[in-house]
Amino acid sequence: MTGAASIAVLFLSMVVNSTRAVRDERKTARSCCCKAELGDCAESDETSAVDIDNRCCMPAEECAGLFNTSLTSQLHSTACELQKAKCPKNRRVKETSVSKTGRKQKCVYVCGRIYKFFDPEQQCEKCLEGRDLAQKCEACLEGRDPAQDCRTCLVGHYFDPEASDPKTATCKRCKKVGLDPGANCAHCFEGMDEGCSRCTKPGFDPVAYPPCSTCSLGRNAAQHCTQCSFGYDPREDCRWCLPGFDPAADCRRCEQGRDIDTDCKQCLPGFELSGDGTCAVLNRSSWTLHIIGDTHGDENFLFHSLLSTGLFQLGGDFGIKWKDDVEGTNDFEVVILGDIVDRGARSRKNLRTLKFLASNDKFGRMHILLGNHESMILQHDLKDAGHENQAWLLAHRGHEDNDLLSWLGQLPTVRLSHGVLMTHGGLSGKVMERLGNDLTPSCHTPGAVCGKAVVDHLNHEAKAYFARLRKCMQQRLLNGIEDHTKCAFDNNADVLNPGSVVDALDGVLWYRGYSRSPKSENCEEARQVSTRLGADTMAVAHTTHGTIQRYCADAVPVFVTDTHTEDCMQTGECDFESDKKYHTDGSINPDRREVPQSLSITIVGVNRTKMFAKCFSMLGTDGLVTRNCWEF
């Protein structure tokens, strides 16, 4: 290389080095953070800032603010190190953590256990959406639906249009059930008159939701609600079943032993009409009654009680179904003595389970009686409804489960079959004396004819009462009055409370003379009532005992079947669980108290000999059901 060329190369090298030095000095002077541009904030932590490029460096102060960087003297030569964000805490915050997306950081809060309804997105300082800060966020804001975690309005309510923040808006209630909340209650639902008090077309239901969109109870939608559905009685305005049709099956088939080809007026072949009005097996060859007492919203207790009859197996849409090997057998009946609802959290579910079992049995072998707690639900007395209170309130307003109210209102309160008088509370001597006088000449002579007359009268009286009660409540709703108790408990002239059914002392749903360890005078009362009705055995529930009890052996056998005392809401065991054990030693112990069981009464031969037993069930770890019975 010539001297001139060497000088030129040396000069060029000096220029380049000088340029680099100037650029480095500028970087250092600007205290650059080697991050190309703002859009690179989402780069992964593994990407070095140096690797991004040196095209453009942001000033260190700006970089530090965006990326929580630790400023160093040589930021241009290393990755921008992230410092963990500091998350402020308050007394409601249980713990904090930091989530990172690339170089972005976010504080994550966990509220303390007693502050579970506070919003972690708001550092646990404010409530979750729809909750009331004045109630420590435990309750919904006015008009919000707790079943929807306070996020929406209750049915029949609408968000306050003047609220500044939708998350903290209260909900206003329409003054009448017929006003449309979708229109902020400015006008009635379609199909209603201008006063929102009735449907413009007859046969439609003004209280069902939406109003006037479906037929009233017992009316046929295919006939535009102008005629009764199959099995409903047009003489009673389609409110309940024709005689001989089964209310437990929504009147879709006959009562047990009756022939659908005769409109349920005659008995099936192999059955004969007995004096008490039931169709009994011809020649009374053999018949078994399986009787179950209170279950109170406890699915575990109900399932094990049903399994103790030996007639059911686990499986199906409702978790329990009829056993396959009894499908063609019609020589037994299952009687539920009421108090299916209240206290436990599965009242409505258990009602639907029993309704399904009754409706899907072609023989009508399940008979469901009302208890005093079903009566309370129908009377809008919800003090024992617990967590299901709101659901029953909505049902009374025509929403979901309104069909259960209609179904309950048709169920009988008394059953007399094969000489066994069954009711939830008991038919007292006082009520029997009054009815006997009113039902002359049927009760002029003691026997089954009087029994049929009394049972028919009590069941009709109950149906008529609950129908009047329902009409009163609906009318008050349509007029914008929410206090339904006025219909049931204020001697309303339009309702006429039948004391023989719902009187808290002597009504058949409430009487405790036979179930509360009856004395000798109660046993004599039981004997006189039974003799008058042509019965020789009584079965009641209503009062809890450790196990099924037999009383009054010297007069007339009185069995008390209520053994349910455990509050499943307190133990958190209302749902059926296969690992719930009522018998823990590997075998059924008949001395265990307050466990599911059923009463078995088997009638044999023309002499109607009765054999009594209490039966238990146990579910093994292999899923197999063991059943044992012990005779009294």
Side-chain angles (χ1 to χ4, degrees), residues 374-421:
E374 283 77 34
S375 174
M376 290 166 64
I377 294 293
L378 291 170
Q379 291 173 316
H380 210 277
D381 180 357
L382 307 178
K383 62 175 175 287
D384 290 333
H387 283 53
E388 296 190 292
N389 183 292
Q390 188 63 42
W392 286 123
L393 283 173
L394 291 175
H396 276 287
R397 287 178 61 88
H399 302 283
E400 187 178 3
D401 299 316
N402 180 50
D403 62 311
L404 286 179
L405 295 176
S406 302
W407 179 68
L408 286 172
Q410 293 192 78
L411 295 180
T413 59
V414 186
R415 179 168 175 79
L416 178 59
S417 174
H418 298 80
V420 182
L421 179 64

Short mmCIF file of all heavy atoms in Angstrom, two decimals, residues 374-421:
data_model
loop_
_atom_site.label_atom_id
_atom_site.label_comp_id
_atom_site.label_asym_id
_atom_site.label_seq_id
_atom_site.Cartn_x
_atom_site.Cartn_y
_atom_site.Cartn_z
N GLU A 374 -96.08 -27.76 52.65
CA GLU A 374 -96.56 -27.47 51.29
C GLU A 374 -97.70 -26.46 51.35
O GLU A 374 -97.79 -25.54 50.53
CB GLU A 374 -97.03 -28.74 50.58
CG GLU A 374 -95.92 -29.64 50.06
CD GLU A 374 -95.25 -30.45 51.15
OE1 GLU A 374 -95.96 -30.85 52.10
OE2 GLU A 374 -94.04 -30.69 51.07
N SER A 375 -98.56 -26.63 52.36
CA SER A 375 -99.65 -25.67 52.55
C SER A 375 -99.11 -24.27 52.82
O SER A 375 -99.62 -23.27 52.29
CB SER A 375 -100.54 -26.12 53.71
OG SER A 375 -101.53 -25.15 54.00
N MET A 376 -98.06 -24.18 53.61
CA MET A 376 -97.45 -22.88 53.90
C MET A 376 -96.92 -22.22 52.63
O MET A 376 -97.09 -21.02 52.42
CB MET A 376 -96.33 -23.05 54.92
CG MET A 376 -96.81 -23.39 56.32
SD MET A 376 -95.49 -23.97 57.41
CE MET A 376 -94.45 -22.51 57.51
N ILE A 377 -96.27 -23.00 51.77
CA ILE A 377 -95.78 -22.45 50.51
C ILE A 377 -96.95 -21.92 49.68
O ILE A 377 -96.88 -20.82 49.11
CB ILE A 377 -95.01 -23.53 49.71
CG1 ILE A 377 -93.73 -23.94 50.44
CG2 ILE A 377 -94.69 -23.04 48.30
CD1 ILE A 377 -92.67 -22.87 50.54
N LEU A 378 -98.03 -22.68 49.61
CA LEU A 378 -99.19 -22.25 48.84
C LEU A 378 -99.84 -21.01 49.46
O LEU A 378 -100.42 -20.19 48.74
CB LEU A 378 -100.21 -23.39 48.74
CG LEU A 378 -99.79 -24.59 47.89
CD1 LEU A 378 -100.76 -25.74 48.06
CD2 LEU A 378 -99.69 -24.20 46.42
N GLN A 379 -99.74 -20.86 50.77
CA GLN A 379 -100.31 -19.71 51.46
C GLN A 379 -99.36 -18.51 51.45
O GLN A 379 -99.66 -17.48 52.03
CB GLN A 379 -100.63 -20.08 52.91
CG GLN A 379 -101.78 -21.06 53.05
CD GLN A 379 -101.94 -21.52 54.49
OE1 GLN A 379 -100.97 -21.84 55.17
NE2 GLN A 379 -103.18 -21.55 54.96
N HIS A 380 -98.23 -18.65 50.79
CA HIS A 380 -97.22 -17.59 50.71
C HIS A 380 -96.58 -17.33 52.06
O HIS A 380 -96.08 -16.23 52.34
CB HIS A 380 -97.82 -16.30 50.15
CG HIS A 380 -96.83 -15.45 49.40
ND1 HIS A 380 -95.96 -14.58 50.02
CD2 HIS A 380 -96.56 -15.34 48.08
CE1 HIS A 380 -95.21 -13.98 49.13
NE2 HIS A 380 -95.55 -14.42 47.94
N ASP A 381 -96.57 -18.33 52.92
CA ASP A 381 -95.87 -18.25 54.20
C ASP A 381 -94.50 -18.90 53.99
O ASP A 381 -94.35 -20.13 54.05
CB ASP A 381 -96.67 -18.99 55.28
CG ASP A 381 -95.99 -18.93 56.64
OD1 ASP A 381 -94.88 -18.37 56.74
OD2 ASP A 381 -96.58 -19.45 57.62
N LEU A 382 -93.49 -18.08 53.75
CA LEU A 382 -92.18 -18.57 53.32
C LEU A 382 -91.12 -18.46 54.40
O LEU A 382 -89.92 -18.48 54.09
CB LEU A 382 -91.73 -17.78 52.07
CG LEU A 382 -92.74 -17.75 50.91
CD1 LEU A 382 -92.19 -16.90 49.76
CD2 LEU A 382 -93.07 -19.14 50.42
N LYS A 383 -91.53 -18.40 55.66
CA LYS A 383 -90.54 -18.19 56.72
C LYS A 383 -89.57 -19.35 56.87
O LYS A 383 -88.48 -19.18 57.42
CB LYS A 383 -91.25 -17.92 58.04
CG LYS A 383 -92.13 -19.01 58.58
CD LYS A 383 -92.65 -18.63 59.97
CE LYS A 383 -93.65 -19.64 60.51
NZ LYS A 383 -94.95 -19.52 59.81
N ASP A 384 -89.95 -20.55 56.41
CA ASP A 384 -89.05 -21.71 56.51
C ASP A 384 -88.43 -22.08 55.17
O ASP A 384 -87.78 -23.13 55.05
CB ASP A 384 -89.80 -22.92 57.06
CG ASP A 384 -90.17 -22.76 58.53
OD1 ASP A 384 -89.45 -22.03 59.24
OD2 ASP A 384 -91.16 -23.36 58.97
N ALA A 385 -88.61 -21.22 54.16
CA ALA A 385 -88.13 -21.55 52.81
C ALA A 385 -86.62 -21.37 52.68
O ALA A 385 -86.01 -21.92 51.75
CB ALA A 385 -88.85 -20.72 51.76
N GLY A 386 -86.02 -20.59 53.57
CA GLY A 386 -84.56 -20.43 53.56
C GLY A 386 -84.04 -19.89 52.24
O GLY A 386 -84.53 -18.89 51.72
N HIS A 387 -83.05 -20.59 51.67
CA HIS A 387 -82.39 -20.13 50.45
C HIS A 387 -83.33 -20.14 49.25
O HIS A 387 -83.01 -19.55 48.21
CB HIS A 387 -81.17 -21.00 50.15
CG HIS A 387 -79.98 -20.68 51.00
ND1 HIS A 387 -80.04 -20.62 52.38
CD2 HIS A 387 -78.70 -20.37 50.67
CE1 HIS A 387 -78.85 -20.31 52.85
NE2 HIS A 387 -78.01 -20.16 51.85
N GLU A 388 -84.46 -20.82 49.35
CA GLU A 388 -85.38 -20.90 48.21
C GLU A 388 -86.50 -19.86 48.31
O GLU A 388 -87.44 -19.89 47.52
CB GLU A 388 -85.95 -22.31 48.11
CG GLU A 388 -84.87 -23.34 47.82
CD GLU A 388 -85.45 -24.70 47.47
OE1 GLU A 388 -86.02 -25.34 48.36
OE2 GLU A 388 -85.33 -25.12 46.30
N ASN A 389 -86.39 -18.98 49.27
CA ASN A 389 -87.43 -17.96 49.47
C ASN A 389 -87.67 -17.15 48.20
O ASN A 389 -88.81 -16.98 47.77
CB ASN A 389 -87.01 -17.05 50.63
CG ASN A 389 -88.05 -15.99 50.95
OD1 ASN A 389 -88.28 -15.08 50.16
ND2 ASN A 389 -88.66 -16.10 52.11
N GLN A 390 -86.60 -16.66 47.60
CA GLN A 390 -86.74 -15.82 46.41
C GLN A 390 -87.35 -16.59 45.25
O GLN A 390 -88.18 -16.05 44.49
CB GLN A 390 -85.38 -15.25 46.01
CG GLN A 390 -85.42 -14.21 44.90
CD GLN A 390 -86.20 -12.97 45.29
OE1 GLN A 390 -86.08 -12.47 46.40
NE2 GLN A 390 -87.02 -12.47 44.38
N ALA A 391 -86.98 -17.86 45.12
CA ALA A 391 -87.53 -18.67 44.03
C ALA A 391 -89.04 -18.84 44.18
O ALA A 391 -89.79 -18.78 43.20
CB ALA A 391 -86.85 -20.04 44.00
N TRP A 392 -89.50 -19.05 45.43
CA TRP A 392 -90.96 -19.19 45.64
C TRP A 392 -91.67 -17.86 45.43
O TRP A 392 -92.81 -17.83 44.93
CB TRP A 392 -91.23 -19.74 47.03
CG TRP A 392 -90.93 -21.20 47.21
CD1 TRP A 392 -90.08 -21.77 48.12
CD2 TRP A 392 -91.47 -22.30 46.46
NE1 TRP A 392 -90.05 -23.13 47.99
CE2 TRP A 392 -90.91 -23.48 46.97
CE3 TRP A 392 -92.38 -22.38 45.40
CZ2 TRP A 392 -91.21 -24.74 46.47
CZ3 TRP A 392 -92.69 -23.64 44.88
CH2 TRP A 392 -92.11 -24.79 45.42
N LEU A 393 -91.03 -16.75 45.80
CA LEU A 393 -91.62 -15.44 45.54
C LEU A 393 -91.86 -15.26 44.04
O LEU A 393 -92.94 -14.80 43.61
CB LEU A 393 -90.71 -14.33 46.06
CG LEU A 393 -90.71 -14.08 47.57
CD1 LEU A 393 -89.62 -13.07 47.93
CD2 LEU A 393 -92.06 -13.54 48.03
N LEU A 394 -90.85 -15.61 43.25
CA LEU A 394 -90.99 -15.49 41.80
C LEU A 394 -92.05 -16.46 41.27
O LEU A 394 -92.79 -16.13 40.34
CB LEU A 394 -89.64 -15.75 41.12
CG LEU A 394 -88.57 -14.68 41.33
CD1 LEU A 394 -87.26 -15.11 40.71
CD2 LEU A 394 -89.03 -13.35 40.75
N ALA A 395 -92.11 -17.65 41.84
CA ALA A 395 -93.12 -18.62 41.40
C ALA A 395 -94.52 -18.07 41.62
O ALA A 395 -95.40 -18.21 40.76
CB ALA A 395 -92.95 -19.94 42.16
N HIS A 396 -94.74 -17.41 42.74
CA HIS A 396 -96.04 -16.81 43.00
C HIS A 396 -96.34 -15.65 42.07
O HIS A 396 -97.50 -15.29 41.86
CB HIS A 396 -96.12 -16.33 44.46
CG HIS A 396 -96.49 -17.40 45.44
ND1 HIS A 396 -97.78 -17.92 45.52
CD2 HIS A 396 -95.76 -18.07 46.36
CE1 HIS A 396 -97.81 -18.85 46.46
NE2 HIS A 396 -96.61 -18.97 46.98
N ARG A 397 -95.28 -15.08 41.49
CA ARG A 397 -95.48 -14.00 40.51
C ARG A 397 -95.60 -14.53 39.09
O ARG A 397 -95.60 -13.77 38.13
CB ARG A 397 -94.32 -12.99 40.58
CG ARG A 397 -94.35 -12.11 41.82
CD ARG A 397 -93.14 -11.17 41.86
NE ARG A 397 -93.10 -10.26 40.72
CZ ARG A 397 -93.69 -9.08 40.68
NH1 ARG A 397 -94.38 -8.65 41.72
NH2 ARG A 397 -93.60 -8.33 39.61
N GLY A 398 -95.67 -15.87 38.94
CA GLY A 398 -95.92 -16.45 37.63
C GLY A 398 -94.69 -16.89 36.87
O GLY A 398 -94.78 -17.25 35.70
N HIS A 399 -93.54 -16.88 37.52
CA HIS A 399 -92.30 -17.23 36.82
C HIS A 399 -91.97 -18.70 37.01
O HIS A 399 -92.84 -19.51 37.30
CB HIS A 399 -91.18 -16.31 37.29
CG HIS A 399 -91.48 -14.86 37.06
ND1 HIS A 399 -91.39 -14.27 35.83
CD2 HIS A 399 -91.93 -13.89 37.90
CE1 HIS A 399 -91.73 -13.00 35.91
NE2 HIS A 399 -92.07 -12.75 37.16
N GLU A 400 -90.70 -19.05 36.86
CA GLU A 400 -90.26 -20.43 36.97
C GLU A 400 -90.75 -21.05 38.27
O GLU A 400 -90.74 -20.40 39.32
CB GLU A 400 -88.73 -20.48 36.90
CG GLU A 400 -88.17 -21.88 36.83
CD GLU A 400 -86.66 -21.90 36.73
OE1 GLU A 400 -86.07 -20.80 36.78
OE2 GLU A 400 -86.07 -22.97 36.60
N ASP A 401 -91.18 -22.30 38.19
CA ASP A 401 -91.73 -23.07 39.32
C ASP A 401 -93.18 -22.70 39.63
O ASP A 401 -93.76 -23.24 40.57
CB ASP A 401 -90.88 -22.94 40.58
CG ASP A 401 -89.46 -23.46 40.37
OD1 ASP A 401 -89.31 -24.53 39.76
OD2 ASP A 401 -88.51 -22.78 40.79
N ASN A 402 -93.77 -21.81 38.86
CA ASN A 402 -95.20 -21.55 39.02
C ASN A 402 -96.01 -22.82 38.78
O ASN A 402 -97.06 -23.03 39.39
CB ASN A 402 -95.63 -20.44 38.04
CG ASN A 402 -97.11 -20.12 38.15
OD1 ASN A 402 -97.62 -19.89 39.23
ND2 ASN A 402 -97.78 -20.11 37.02
N ASP A 403 -95.51 -23.69 37.89
CA ASP A 403 -96.20 -24.95 37.63
C ASP A 403 -96.22 -25.85 38.86
O ASP A 403 -97.16 -26.63 39.05
CB ASP A 403 -95.55 -25.68 36.46
CG ASP A 403 -94.10 -26.06 36.74
OD1 ASP A 403 -93.33 -25.18 37.20
OD2 ASP A 403 -93.72 -27.22 36.51
N LEU A 404 -95.18 -25.74 39.70
CA LEU A 404 -95.17 -26.54 40.92
C LEU A 404 -96.27 -26.10 41.88
O LEU A 404 -96.89 -26.92 42.56
CB LEU A 404 -93.81 -26.43 41.61
CG LEU A 404 -92.64 -27.18 40.97
CD1 LEU A 404 -91.36 -26.95 41.75
CD2 LEU A 404 -92.93 -28.67 40.84
N LEU A 405 -96.53 -24.80 41.94
CA LEU A 405 -97.62 -24.31 42.78
C LEU A 405 -98.96 -24.84 42.28
O LEU A 405 -99.82 -25.26 43.08
CB LEU A 405 -97.63 -22.78 42.80
CG LEU A 405 -96.41 -22.10 43.43
CD1 LEU A 405 -96.52 -20.58 43.28
CD2 LEU A 405 -96.27 -22.48 44.88
N SER A 406 -99.15 -24.83 40.97
CA SER A 406 -100.39 -25.36 40.40
C SER A 406 -100.54 -26.85 40.72
O SER A 406 -101.64 -27.32 41.06
CB SER A 406 -100.41 -25.15 38.89
OG SER A 406 -100.28 -23.78 38.57
N TRP A 407 -99.44 -27.57 40.61
CA TRP A 407 -99.47 -29.02 40.86
C TRP A 407 -99.75 -29.31 42.33
O TRP A 407 -100.59 -30.15 42.66
CB TRP A 407 -98.12 -29.59 40.44
CG TRP A 407 -97.94 -31.06 40.64
CD1 TRP A 407 -98.59 -32.07 40.00
CD2 TRP A 407 -97.03 -31.69 41.55
NE1 TRP A 407 -98.15 -33.29 40.45
CE2 TRP A 407 -97.19 -33.09 41.40
CE3 TRP A 407 -96.10 -31.22 42.46
CZ2 TRP A 407 -96.44 -34.00 42.14
CZ3 TRP A 407 -95.35 -32.12 43.19
CH2 TRP A 407 -95.53 -33.50 43.03
N LEU A 408 -99.07 -28.60 43.23
CA LEU A 408 -99.29 -28.81 44.65
C LEU A 408 -100.73 -28.54 45.05
O LEU A 408 -101.30 -29.24 45.89
CB LEU A 408 -98.36 -27.91 45.47
CG LEU A 408 -96.88 -28.28 45.53
CD1 LEU A 408 -96.07 -27.19 46.22
CD2 LEU A 408 -96.68 -29.62 46.23
N GLY A 409 -101.33 -27.52 44.43
CA GLY A 409 -102.69 -27.14 44.79
C GLY A 409 -103.74 -28.20 44.48
O GLY A 409 -104.86 -28.12 44.97
N GLN A 410 -103.38 -29.21 43.67
CA GLN A 410 -104.32 -30.27 43.32
C GLN A 410 -104.14 -31.53 44.16
O GLN A 410 -105.01 -32.41 44.16
CB GLN A 410 -104.14 -30.68 41.86
CG GLN A 410 -104.52 -29.63 40.86
CD GLN A 410 -104.58 -30.25 39.48
OE1 GLN A 410 -105.53 -30.93 39.13
NE2 GLN A 410 -103.54 -30.04 38.70
N LEU A 411 -103.02 -31.65 44.86
CA LEU A 411 -102.71 -32.90 45.54
C LEU A 411 -103.64 -33.14 46.72
O LEU A 411 -104.10 -32.20 47.37
CB LEU A 411 -101.26 -32.89 46.02
CG LEU A 411 -100.18 -32.84 44.94
CD1 LEU A 411 -98.79 -32.84 45.58
CD2 LEU A 411 -100.31 -34.01 43.97
N PRO A 412 -103.89 -34.40 47.04
CA PRO A 412 -104.80 -34.72 48.16
C PRO A 412 -104.13 -34.48 49.50
O PRO A 412 -102.89 -34.39 49.61
CB PRO A 412 -105.11 -36.20 47.94
CG PRO A 412 -103.92 -36.73 47.20
CD PRO A 412 -103.45 -35.61 46.32
N THR A 413 -104.95 -34.42 50.54
CA THR A 413 -104.46 -34.28 51.90
C THR A 413 -104.65 -35.57 52.70
O THR A 413 -104.02 -35.73 53.75
CB THR A 413 -105.19 -33.14 52.62
OG1 THR A 413 -106.60 -33.42 52.64
CG2 THR A 413 -104.96 -31.81 51.92
N VAL A 414 -105.52 -36.45 52.22
CA VAL A 414 -105.84 -37.69 52.94
C VAL A 414 -105.93 -38.82 51.92
O VAL A 414 -106.40 -38.62 50.79
CB VAL A 414 -107.19 -37.58 53.70
CG1 VAL A 414 -107.42 -38.82 54.55
CG2 VAL A 414 -107.22 -36.33 54.55
N ARG A 415 -105.47 -40.01 52.32
CA ARG A 415 -105.65 -41.21 51.49
C ARG A 415 -106.09 -42.35 52.38
O ARG A 415 -105.55 -42.56 53.47
CB ARG A 415 -104.36 -41.58 50.76
CG ARG A 415 -104.51 -42.85 49.90
CD ARG A 415 -103.35 -43.06 48.96
NE ARG A 415 -103.46 -44.32 48.25
CZ ARG A 415 -104.24 -44.53 47.19
NH1 ARG A 415 -105.01 -43.54 46.74
NH2 ARG A 415 -104.27 -45.70 46.58
N LEU A 416 -107.09 -43.08 51.89
CA LEU A 416 -107.57 -44.29 52.58
C LEU A 416 -107.47 -45.44 51.60
O LEU A 416 -108.12 -45.44 50.55
CB LEU A 416 -109.03 -44.10 53.03
CG LEU A 416 -109.70 -45.28 53.74
CD1 LEU A 416 -108.94 -45.68 54.98
CD2 LEU A 416 -111.15 -44.93 54.09
N SER A 417 -106.63 -46.41 51.91
CA SER A 417 -106.39 -47.52 51.00
C SER A 417 -106.19 -48.80 51.79
O SER A 417 -105.35 -48.84 52.71
CB SER A 417 -105.15 -47.25 50.13
OG SER A 417 -104.82 -48.36 49.33
N HIS A 418 -106.98 -49.83 51.45
CA HIS A 418 -106.84 -51.14 52.09
C HIS A 418 -106.90 -51.06 53.61
O HIS A 418 -106.15 -51.72 54.32
CB HIS A 418 -105.55 -51.83 51.64
CG HIS A 418 -105.51 -52.09 50.16
ND1 HIS A 418 -105.18 -51.12 49.26
CD2 HIS A 418 -105.77 -53.21 49.44
CE1 HIS A 418 -105.22 -51.62 48.03
NE2 HIS A 418 -105.59 -52.90 48.11
N GLY A 419 -107.77 -50.19 54.09
CA GLY A 419 -107.97 -50.06 55.53
C GLY A 419 -106.93 -49.22 56.25
O GLY A 419 -106.95 -49.13 57.48
N VAL A 420 -106.01 -48.58 55.51
CA VAL A 420 -104.98 -47.74 56.12
C VAL A 420 -105.32 -46.27 55.84
O VAL A 420 -105.42 -45.85 54.68
CB VAL A 420 -103.58 -48.07 55.56
CG1 VAL A 420 -102.53 -47.22 56.26
CG2 VAL A 420 -103.26 -49.55 55.74
N LEU A 421 -105.52 -45.51 56.91
CA LEU A 421 -105.81 -44.08 56.80
C LEU A 421 -104.50 -43.32 56.90
O LEU A 421 -103.80 -43.41 57.91
CB LEU A 421 -106.76 -43.65 57.92
CG LEU A 421 -107.14 -42.16 57.95
CD1 LEU A 421 -107.92 -41.78 56.69
CD2 LEU A 421 -107.94 -41.83 59.21
#
